[in-house]
Amino acid sequence: MPKTSPKLRVGTLLCSVALMLTLASAVIRAQGAREVDTIQTSKGLVRVTPIMHASLMLEFGGKVIHVDPWSQANYDGLPKADVILITDVHPDHLDKAQIDKLRKPSTVIIAPKAVAVDLTEAQVIANGEKKTIAGLDLEGVAMYNLKRGPEPGQLFHDKGRGNGYILTLGGKRIYLAGDTECTAEMKALKSIDVAFIPMNLPYTMTPVEAAGCAKAFAPKVAYPYHYRGSDPQEFANALKGTPTEVRLRKWY
């Protein structure tokens, strides 16, 4: 077998290092182009990365949590998931192709029972149930329509099918509402530090309706999301003068 010269070995090593640095630089640039917020907790920062529609990423305590990953979004430069939260069976929430791209062998998927019918490996949590899964303290919250549906007598989201979630991270209660109108369960929430609230018709509610619901449970910080076709500034305007800080971020 021919011997490789020391110069060739060094040159190959330098090329490999240069390639690794280039790839790392590309990842950093891709992540740096995104809006990232931080939330201070008793155990360090939660990093919030808006992605698209109902998709977002939370990073806390060395864990990467992806919420409702969707193939229409751009995931370039984002890390794979330690935990994936799924809220509903609709394809903009339950997207197996994107889930497969983000998952690792150790990834834990958390979902309502209706999702687990198709995603059988998911760990199930029900509306109103509290569990600790993958080291995360979670609570399932009902998400459903009160009046809106594809035709009379039908609703886009039936009660009990999908889940909103409350995550407690370092003492901060973070509410991911999912697709919902202003339900009694939402209005009754207590001590929410950060809330992600949907506002698009015909599937959830208007920005003004969403603001009315936010006034009922008074989160410290509210993010409009899932707002395609709606103006989240209307939500912000309706909450002026309240204790809630509204953060408008780009989800599309």
Side-chain angles (χ1 to χ4, degrees), residues 46-79:
V46 177
R47 287 168 54 87
V48 179
T49 303
I51 299 176
M52 181 181 182
H53 197 55
S55 304
L56 64 140
M57 181 178 74
L58 302 173
E59 297 169 274
F60 176 73
K63 282 188 169 66
V64 175
I65 305 163
H66 278 280
V67 181
D68 285 342
W70 193 26
S71 295
Q72 292 192 25
N74 174 16
Y75 283 84
D76 290 348
L78 295 181

Side-chain angles (χ1 to χ4, degrees), residues 106-128:
S106 59
T107 299
V108 175
I109 299 172
I110 301 168
K113 185 177 180 180
V115 168
V117 171
D118 289 323
L119 210 61
T120 56
E121 67 272 40
Q123 297 198 35
V124 172
I125 184 169
N127 295 170

Side-chain angles (χ1 to χ4, degrees), residues 172-188:
K172 298 291 186 181
R173 286 166 54 81
I174 298 173
Y175 171 51
L176 302 151
D179 282 11
T180 186
E181 290 185 57
C182 184
T183 64
E185 291 87 346
M186 190 181 200
K187 289 188 286 187

